[in-house]
Amino acid sequence: MSVHKSLRHDSALKHVTGQALYIDDMPEPAGTLHAALVLSPVAHGRLRRVEVSSAPGVVAVLGPNDIPGKNDVAPVGQNEPLFATDRVHYAGQPLLLVVATTLDAARHAADKAVIEIDAEPAILDVASALAAKAYVQAPSTLLRGDPDAALKAAPHVLTAEFEVGGQEHFYLEGQVAFALPGEDDDITVHSSTQHPTEVQHICARLLGCDYNRITAVVRRLGGGFGGKESNASWVAGAAALAAHRTGRPVKLRLPREIDMIATGKRHPFSYRYTVGFDNEGKVLALDAMLAADAGWSLDLTPGVVARALTHTDNAYWIPHFRAVGYACRTNKQSNTAFRGFGGPQGVVVMEDAIDRIALHLGRDADDVRALNFYDDAGDETPYGQKVDENHLPRVWSELKREASIERRRAEIDAFNKTSPVLKRGLGLFPLKFGISFNIPHMNQAGALVHIYTDGSIRLNHGGTEMGQGLFIKVAQIVAEVFKVDIERIRPTATSTAEVPNTSPTAASTGTDLNGWAAHAAASTIKQRMVAFAAEHFGADAGDIEFSDNNVRIAKPGSNQVIDFGELVKLCYMGRVSLSSTGYYKTPKIHWDGAAMRGRPFFYFSFGAAAAEVAIDTLTGESRVLRADLVQDCGASLNPAIDLGQIEGAFVQGQGWFTCEELWWDKQGRLRTAGPSTYKIPGSRDAPAIFNVRLLDNAPSKEATIFRSKAIGEPPLMLATAVWTALKDAIASTGDGKTAVRLDAPATPERILAALATLKA
């Protein structure tokens, strides 16, 4: 069996030996040009003049008037220009593209650009945007029951507010595209993108040509995390424009500083909520306001806000529920997709509320959490989807048992009583996360499978490999269909010329969608081979069995076994097609975005985490000492790959909650624009004790591919346990009854501020 096995990543050896080729490693044809961006230094204002003087090596300087098609790179809606025209909307907005014979020449000329902008007042935070009613879309509301009446009647009511910050994707490979012109104005664009089809569409829109003239190719990405879903498209579009105008290959790669200044981040959110509950801590009603900092334009904000609203309930049944989402327009980078896509910003609301409820009632917060879990009988979410196959009670109980929560709680309490400076905290977190794109039509995929006459198999599909192991998983699926060794499968670069109209590799759906599409393609070929073998050998189709690189033909009184490759040759000689496309669309899902009702998710993934932290009350520094995770992966296709994804996601989430702070100055310029000022977690930040386990014996009841479940995004939210643990450690310095407001990221400064409020 090829599936449910821990096979190594198909590029693992190439990654560690440096043999894996990324776009910047590709050989450059003679005459290749290099490009650099000229960016606005002002957050908001009227553009008076931008000019690049002639300089050695400069071949072209391109701006809005050089675009033959439409100056618009919006992934959704319109009016997001590639190059600003009369106005600028954020510091870092592209103004011009300099194209030169060398990279140094292009960047030097761009740095010397003359820019004149009449600066105007800028909106730089959510509070100012809310006051000005500056939105990129109208507010949206998810409503169930009568929260106003329920809150009025509730025995206890609490109101609170807090904020979480954004997050830089910090993919190891920066944004890069390499555009090569061909015959008849065709252009091939090698792009570090999660969405090859959007690259194709944006390039064609800029050039004013049909999609069939643009081929987007992606062999691998050096990380994406959502940052290369829409941002990569305009980078590729700029390179394609330059290739079209010059008739020569053009590479555009953004250095880290330019990348961080010009591209969007995870959406920061501000929250206000009121929660009503009874004497036991059972939640009766929630009325929440979630305000997202969208940045200057729409981008993918509608989907992010919708997913945040549909995850505000997280793991909890709330009979009366209202969550209102605001998409605030600010003069900052247009914020975009980031692993979790609004889910992380949604689940924190109830976690903060339950901590406050427990303190108010003098109860254990984790008991209050379990009291409010969705019921096994299939409670409905506020948007009307039943919570089927509910693993919440199971992951919760297994986590508490394996992490020895009761014993460690007592040990931590005893430690804190005798330690005046260092304090420890323990936090738990349950998770229910929906899997599928919010937009139903995006839940589709295609694949292409060829078998050659030596029995080798070529696999292509619409998903992109960004280090997450998608290619090996889909290869395992095809190997399982034909019952051949994984070495016979050759995954190939994603290309819009081979599989068209692809959905982005995002929303944790890469394997769910592309795996089924590849399965369909392989199964079609297998059915043809079985039919031929039955006729050729005089057997029934049911007597043809594929196994261990062989094909067995069972006939009365005899069994004949031939090599898989031998049957392939016979099929070819018998004029049997050994190539097929495959297609898949996710069943059962439907969604009314206006009413905020339907079944937006094919299924839910469940998980639970416990984190133990220590803080220094004198400096505010913190450390994660231990983390225990139980994650539902269904019947994992590749446990080794999934474990790696869980560990990486948790640490990335830990970074969002603790150390990754974005900071803009009063002029709206991003000042955390590199690793010297923006801190991502390092190896020593990972928990010293890190226990991760996949939930055993939990195959999906829905018809997922080989009963597996998605793993890309859910574990990132398990890091919410770190935030909860930090609040627990801070609360230990107070009277045990006062709630802690701890905005994220919980930097030393914020921890010290929270400690100060308890001492005031």
Side-chain angles (χ1 to χ4, degrees):
M1 179 173 285
S2 295
V3 294
H4 313 311
K5 291 178 64 175
S6 291
L7 302 183
R8 72 184 180 199
H9 193 290
D10 55 292
S11 294
L13 292 178
K14 292 192 286 286
H15 286 157
V16 299
T17 59
Q19 293 176 302
L21 293 179
Y22 294 87
I23 291 174
D24 210 17
D25 301 317
M26 293 174 57
E28 297 174 359
T32 293
L33 301 174
H34 299 267
L37 292 169
V38 176
L39 305 180
S40 170
V42 174
H44 189 218
R46 184 171 297 279
L47 179 61
R48 292 295 185 186
R49 177 186 172 215
V50 55
E51 184 177 299
V52 174
S53 302
S54 59
V58 174
V59 174
V61 178
L62 305 177
N65 295 330
D66 298 297
I67 296 173
K70 189 175 182 181
N71 183 20
D72 187 4
V73 293
V76 178
Q78 57 183 0
N79 296 327
E80 294 183 29
L82 173 62
F83 302 123
T85 52
D86 59 332
R87 305 188 68 78
V88 296
H89 298 280
Y90 73 98
Q93 185 170 0
L95 305 178
L96 295 174
L97 185 73
V98 180
V99 187
T101 53
T102 68
L103 181 59
D104 286 346
R107 290 180 176 174
H108 181 74
D111 288 341
K112 297 296 183 181
V114 177
I115 303 170
E116 296 178 4
I117 299 172
D118 294 338
E120 298 174 355
I123 296 175
L124 298 176
D125 56 61
V126 167
S128 299
L130 288 171
K133 295 185 178 180
Y135 309 130
V136 297
Q137 66 171 12
S140 49
T141 300
L142 178 56
L143 176 67
R144 173 167 64 193
D146 189 345
D148 293 328
L151 287 169
K152 187 175 181 180
H156 305 275
V157 175
L158 292 174
T159 297
E161 59 184 57
F162 67 100
E163 297 179 352
V164 297
Q167 187 177 18
E168 167 63 33
H169 301 86
F170 220 97
Y171 23 67
L172 291 182
E173 177 198 33
Q175 298 281 359
V176 58
F178 195 7
L180 295 93
E183 295 183 0
D184 302 321
D185 292 327
D186 288 356
I187 294 181
T188 298
V189 183
H190 295 270
S191 171
S192 183
T193 180
Q194 296 173 235
H195 200 347
T197 289
E198 187 179 283
V199 164
Q200 179 190 44
H201 291 182
I202 295 298
C203 290
R205 186 190 302 167
L206 290 167
L207 299 184
C209 68
D210 292 337
Y211 295 158
N212 62 12
R213 291 187 180 272
I214 307 295
T215 298
V217 180
V218 187
R219 174 56 186 91
R220 60 172 58 86
L221 287 68
F225 312 116
K228 294 177 180 176
E229 185 174 342
S230 62
N231 277 313
S233 301
W234 66 259
V235 174
L241 172 67
H244 172 78
R245 297 290 297 190
T246 63
R248 293 164 65 176
V250 176
K251 181 187 289 184
L252 171 59
R253 60 179 183 266
L254 306 189
R256 182 67 61 182
E257 181 180 7
I258 298 297
D259 193 320
M260 293 183 72
I261 290 171
T263 63
K265 325 294 178 193
R266 183 189 294 282
H267 291 67
F269 269 60
S270 294
Y271 308 89
R272 291 197 302 269
Y273 68 84
T274 302
V275 62
F277 51 98
D278 65 18
N279 294 330
E280 297 299 312
K282 187 75 172 177
V283 175
L284 304 174
L286 177 73
D287 186 9
M289 183 279 291
L290 293 78
D293 185 341
W296 79 275
S297 66
L298 194 66
D299 199 84
L300 300 178
T301 295
V304 170
V305 171
R307 185 170 280 267
L309 295 179
T310 55
H311 284 74
T312 303
D313 62 321
N314 187 24
Y316 311 109
W317 159 253
I318 307 169
H320 299 277
F321 179 98
R322 177 167 53 225
V324 183
Y326 293 88
C328 298
R329 186 190 300 275
T330 61
N331 294 113
K332 293 180 181 177
Q333 295 83 348
S334 187
N335 289 316
T336 189
F338 199 123
R339 197 175 193 172
F341 202 77
Q345 296 99 313
V347 300
V348 295
V349 175
M350 279 302 298
E351 299 312 306
D352 189 75
I354 284 182
D355 285 339
R356 290 175 180 271
I357 290 169
L359 283 168
H360 181 81
L361 296 175
R363 295 201 60 198
D364 180 83
D366 299 325
D367 290 343
V368 176
R369 285 185 168 86
L371 176 68
N372 286 284
F373 281 168
Y374 275 101
D375 189 85
D376 285 334
D379 286 336
E380 280 193 0
T381 64
Y383 45 91
Q385 179 169 347
K386 284 190 175 182
V387 183
D388 294 326
E389 196 182 358
N390 184 358
H391 291 317
L392 280 168
R394 186 179 164 201
V395 296
W396 188 249
S397 62
E398 292 185 15
L399 172 78
K400 291 186 72 175
R401 182 182 67 251
E402 294 169 11
S404 305
I405 295 302
E406 291 186 11
R407 174 182 60 78
R408 289 168 58 205
R409 176 78 271 174
E411 290 175 353
I412 289 170
D413 289 344
F415 174 87
N416 287 339
K417 288 179 181 178
T418 60
S419 177
V421 175
L422 297 181
K423 299 292 183 180
R424 287 157 60 186
L426 184 64
L428 273 67
F429 172 73
L431 174 69
K432 170 186 64 67
F433 186 78
I435 303 296
S436 286
F437 285 103
N438 294 68
I439 302 173
H441 78 259
M442 295 177 70
N443 295 282
Q444 59 177 305
L448 178 62
V449 174
H450 303 317
I451 305 181
Y452 297 101
T453 54
D454 63 351
S456 62
I457 300 169
R458 178 183 173 95
L459 166 64
N460 193 273
H461 54 79
T464 60
E465 175 57 60
M466 48 191 149
Q468 83 279 38
L470 174 62
F471 276 21
I472 185 61
K473 283 187 171 182
V474 179
Q476 286 177 265
I477 291 165
V478 173
E480 182 66 19
V481 171
F482 292 114
K483 304 294 184 182
V484 298
D485 293 338
I486 193 71
E487 289 76 18
R488 287 201 170 186
I489 315 297
R490 174 62 63 120
T492 57
T494 311
S495 170
T496 56
E498 295 198 50
V499 175
N501 310 319
T502 60
S503 293
T505 305
S508 302
T509 63
T511 304
D512 284 6
L513 297 178
N514 296 288
W516 264 128
H519 186 279
S523 296
T524 297
I525 300 172
K526 183 178 180 180
Q527 290 167 8
R528 295 174 189 158
M529 295 176 69
V530 167
F532 171 81
E535 180 181 358
H536 182 80
F537 292 104
D540 293 332
D543 296 329
I544 310 299
E545 180 185 358
F546 287 59
S547 178
D548 297 328
N549 298 300
N550 293 314
V551 181
R552 185 170 67 88
I553 301 96
K555 293 189 294 184
S558 68
N559 282 322
Q560 184 174 356
V561 178
I562 63 173
D563 180 76
F564 173 79
E566 185 178 344
L567 178 59
V568 169
K569 291 177 185 176
L570 289 172
C571 287
Y572 170 74
M573 297 302 294
R575 295 187 296 179
V576 174
S577 172
L578 295 169
S579 175
S580 180
T581 59
Y583 176 78
Y584 174 75
K585 61 179 181 180
T586 308
K588 300 185 178 181
I589 56 175
H590 56 91
W591 181 244
D592 183 335
M596 297 290 284
R597 296 285 297 176
R599 178 176 176 165
F601 309 120
F602 187 29
Y603 61 87
F604 292 106
S605 172
F606 302 91
E612 182 178 343
V613 303
I615 64 170
D616 185 325
T617 59
L618 298 181
T619 66
E621 293 174 286
S622 67
R623 176 157 294 184
V624 181
L625 305 176
R626 175 174 171 174
D628 297 84
L629 283 58
V630 178
Q631 178 63 49
D632 168 27
C633 299
S636 171
L637 291 171
N638 188 320
I641 293 290
D642 286 349
L643 285 169
Q645 284 293 291
I646 294 168
E647 292 168 354
F650 181 87
V651 173
Q652 189 171 51
Q654 176 187 326
W656 177 51
F657 276 113
T658 60
C659 62
E660 296 188 45
E661 183 177 32
L662 295 161
W663 188 79
W664 287 260
D665 64 19
K666 292 182 179 180
Q667 286 72 47
R669 296 171 295 186
L670 181 67
R671 293 304 197 181
T672 49
S676 63
T677 51
Y678 183 82
K679 186 186 184 311
I680 63 172
S683 59
R684 289 186 293 179
D685 294 302
I689 301 172
F690 201 0
N691 301 315
V692 180
R693 185 172 68 76
L694 308 185
L695 186 66
D696 296 325
N697 302 316
S700 173
K701 292 182 180 178
E702 293 291 354
T704 57
I705 186 70
F706 288 108
R707 305 296 172 176
S708 63
K709 284 188 177 182
I711 196 59
E713 294 171 298
L716 185 141
M717 276 150 278
L718 296 184
T720 308
V722 173
W723 182 56
T724 302
L726 288 170
K727 290 192 291 181
D728 182 60
I730 294 167
S732 72
T733 68
D735 58 9
K737 298 178 182 179
T738 304
V740 174
R741 171 174 172 166
L742 182 62
D743 294 345
T747 58
E749 294 87 348
R750 288 198 174 100
I751 289 175
L752 287 175
L755 289 165
T757 62
L758 292 180
K759 296 175 182 178

